[in-house]
Structure formats: C-alpha cells, structure tokens
Amino acid sequence: MKYLAFATGLLAATSAVADTPVLTIYTYDSFVSDWGPGPAVEKAFEETCGCDLQFVGAGDGAALLGRLKLEGARTKADVVLGLDTNLTAAAKETGLFAETTVSADYDLPVDWNDPVFVPYDWGYFAFVQNADLDGPTDFRELADSDLKIVIQDPRSSTPGLGLLMWVKAAYGDDAPAIWEGLSDNIVTVTKGWSEAYGMFLEGEADLVLSYTTSPAYHLIAESDASKTAARFSEGHYMQIEVAGKIAGTDQPELADQFLQFMVTDAFQSVIPTTNWMYPAVTPEAGLPEGFETLIQPEKALMVPSDQAPKVRDAALAEWLEALSK
C-alpha cells in the first residue's frame, strides 16, 4: 500500500510540474549571468506568475535578432529582451512581434510611444579607461594617439553597432576618415561585450567600448574608483534597451504579464546594480549611491529608430572598408 501511495504522490507531483506554464525569454548572455539581472528577475517574477520563467542566453544583443530571423515562426521564444532602438525597425519588419498594452511613467531622456517594444533600461556608450590615464576627449584625438582600444562587432553586439551609429551621428560624411584613423588603434574586435571588457581588465588595451555607467560597477561592487569613462566633446550615443512579445507565442497573457512586470519596482530596482544601466523607471529608492559620480555627456546623440536601418547599413559598409585596408 505504501508503494501505491508513493506512486500516487509522484504522479501528482509530475502532473503539477507538467501543468506549470513555461515562459521562454531570449536575451543576451550577460543578462542571465550569475552577476546579471536574470537570477533576481526570475525569482521575483516566479513569485507572482505561478509559472516557470526560463531565460535563454543567445550571445550579445544584436545576435538575438539574427537568431530570431533564422528560427522565424518556429522560434521557441515567447519574449525577446535585449534589442535596442537601432534594431527595433528591423525587428518589426520580421513580422514576428506583436503589439503590447504596457503602460508606465517612464524616466527616459526621450518620449516613448512605441506600441510594440517596452523599454527597460538606457545608457550612453563610452570608452572606459583607468582614471589615471590622460585619455582622449574626442574621436579625432583618439585616432591621432597611440592608445589601444577593444571594440565589439556591430553584426553581433549592440555596443558594437552603437559605436558605428555614434561615429556616423557625430561625423556624418566624415565617418570613413574617422574609422581609417582609428583602425591602427584597434587591438581586436570581439563578438560581444563581455569578451572585450575582460580583455581591458586584463590590461590588453588602454580603453574599451562600454558605457558611462560601467565605472559604477567597480565603485559600488568592488569599492574601486580606478575606472572612469572618457567624456567626448562630440557627445555620446544613447542606447535604450527593449523587450517585445513574439506574435506566435502560446503564452500571450503570461508574456504581457512579464512585460508589465518589467516596468515595476521589483524589476527596475534590480537594473542599476546588476545590468549597470539607468532604469527606464526610476526605482522608489532612487539611484544607488555612486551613480552621481558618473560623467554626463555634453550632448546626447541618437538616430531615430525608423531611420536606423538605413544609417546602420551605410555605417557598416564604411566600417568594413576602413578595417579591411
């Protein structure tokens, strides 16, 4: 009889697991790392959703869209988290995303009225360096120096793509000349952000393409004030990271629930000290101490999302030609 009771209990437990809905979210690798937002977000959402939230790391941000295009309507993703405004127009063109009804009181530097994508954080691209380095104050000065930099591939990385848009937005038709000047400063081009930042920390380059907020990690998490971001007189390019619901998801209500959860304090309060970006909605407790020390760009640069594909294609062609010489 006790074996029958055991079998019955096991069957009930198995059935309960089978009945638990699964929400699959494609995102970039650093989001789901042990030190990223993923673990805390997963725990907090599962406490409210009665579901199994499963993050799937898919390389860096720009690689997400590439994977989605390959999978098409067969994708197992319910939500994609980690695209940015340089990619949203191209993402919409796939026809794979559905509109949402998320509402929030955003604290973004720009007005937000996109019916498909929900912003969850933002920041400015910058070159991070050691604080004692007499670093460059613009791209021309960097190109004329002997300083070595590590950047990311714009075809797989949103920071890499952001750098292309930054140079193009700042210099327009002179962008090819800037890249020609920078070509001998580049130590290597990595597939993603993590590899590049790791090389910088290991001393393999003087500067690394990252964010104005990156020094906050060292200051807050490591009590290390030895890193800073170089302030460029041309201004800094803004990135707004977003998430969207897959139109063919078999968990539409759960996907909507997660997107609305993203703009709550439970999610937004995690962002500053795990993703090391500015939250899209300021947490109730405000920004952590240390964020007030970060540099503020003199000028914010950003290509409108509907113009981004055309600008991106031109900038990528210029970049590839300059680096092939």
Side-chain angles (χ1 to χ4, degrees):
M1 186 66 69
K2 64 181 180 180
Y3 296 108
L4 178 59
F6 173 78
T8 301
L10 182 62
L11 181 62
T14 302
S15 177
V17 171
D19 291 340
T20 302
V22 176
L23 185 70
T24 302
I25 299 179
Y26 284 7
T27 187
Y28 44 83
D29 289 344
S30 62
F31 194 94
V32 296
S33 65
D34 290 342
W35 47 266
V41 168
E42 181 179 357
K43 182 177 183 294
F45 186 63
E46 287 183 344
E47 289 176 351
T48 67
C49 71
C51 70
D52 179 12
L53 176 59
Q54 296 185 2
F55 283 115
V56 177
D60 214 336
L64 288 170
L65 185 56
R67 175 169 176 171
L68 203 61
K69 287 180 176 179
L70 285 174
E71 294 180 349
R74 298 176 293 104
T75 183
K76 295 181 180 179
D78 299 303
V79 171
V80 175
L81 183 157
L83 303 177
D84 67 13
T85 49
N86 290 328
L87 296 170
T88 51
K92 289 175 184 176
E93 289 177 0
T94 67
L96 295 172
F97 288 91
E99 292 191 0
T100 70
T101 58
V102 172
S103 61
D105 185 13
Y106 294 117
D107 294 307
L108 298 170
V110 297
D111 292 333
W112 191 264
N113 54 13
D114 192 318
V116 175
F117 291 103
V118 180
Y120 62 91
D121 70 13
W122 66 279
Y124 295 102
F125 294 115
F127 283 96
V128 173
Q129 62 180 52
N130 287 324
D132 59 359
L133 177 71
D134 185 14
T137 60
D138 59 38
F139 279 106
R140 295 189 190 278
E141 188 175 334
L142 175 58
D144 290 340
S145 74
D146 294 327
L147 296 170
K148 297 303 179 183
I149 63 175
V150 181
I151 64 174
Q152 299 89 31
D153 193 321
R155 294 162 295 187
S156 57
S157 165
T158 51
L161 177 56
L163 177 59
L164 261 63
M165 305 296 273
W166 184 4
V167 172
K168 193 66 175 172
Y171 288 96
D173 293 341
D174 289 335
I178 296 296
W179 280 115
E180 186 173 346
L182 289 172
S183 61
D184 61 353
N185 298 93
I186 300 171
V187 174
T188 191
V189 179
T190 65
K191 186 175 181 180
W193 174 88
S194 297
E195 304 97 306
Y197 207 82
M199 290 182 66
F200 164 69
L201 294 179
E202 291 168 6
E204 297 184 42
D206 300 301
L207 303 98
V208 61
L209 176 63
S210 193
Y211 297 88
T212 62
T213 46
S214 297
Y217 162 75
H218 301 284
L219 183 62
I220 297 171
E222 301 179 334
S223 299
D224 177 6
S226 68
K227 304 294 184 291
T228 190
R231 182 188 283 109
F232 276 21
S233 60
E234 306 99 324
H236 290 252
Y237 197 88
M238 185 190 308
Q239 180 186 47
I240 299 176
E241 293 192 298
V242 302
K245 178 177 70 172
I246 296 299
T249 174
D250 58 0
Q251 298 290 345
E253 293 181 359
L254 201 54
D256 285 336
Q257 184 181 344
F258 178 80
L259 291 175
Q260 188 64 57
F261 171 77
M262 282 199 328
V263 297
T264 66
D265 200 67
F267 184 106
Q268 292 291 301
S269 62
V270 170
I271 291 298
T273 55
T274 56
N275 224 31
W276 303 100
M277 296 279 278
Y278 293 107
V281 179
T282 302
E284 295 173 4
L287 294 174
E289 184 178 351
F291 268 67
E292 77 282 355
T293 68
L294 303 175
I295 70 163
Q296 296 299 318
E298 297 175 10
K299 182 179 180 181
L301 304 173
M302 187 177 181
V303 174
S305 59
D306 60 340
Q307 299 175 27
K310 183 178 180 180
V311 176
R312 182 187 69 233
D313 291 345
L316 180 60
E318 293 167 353
W319 179 77
L320 288 170
E321 183 177 358
L323 266 62
S324 67
K325 294 179 179 179

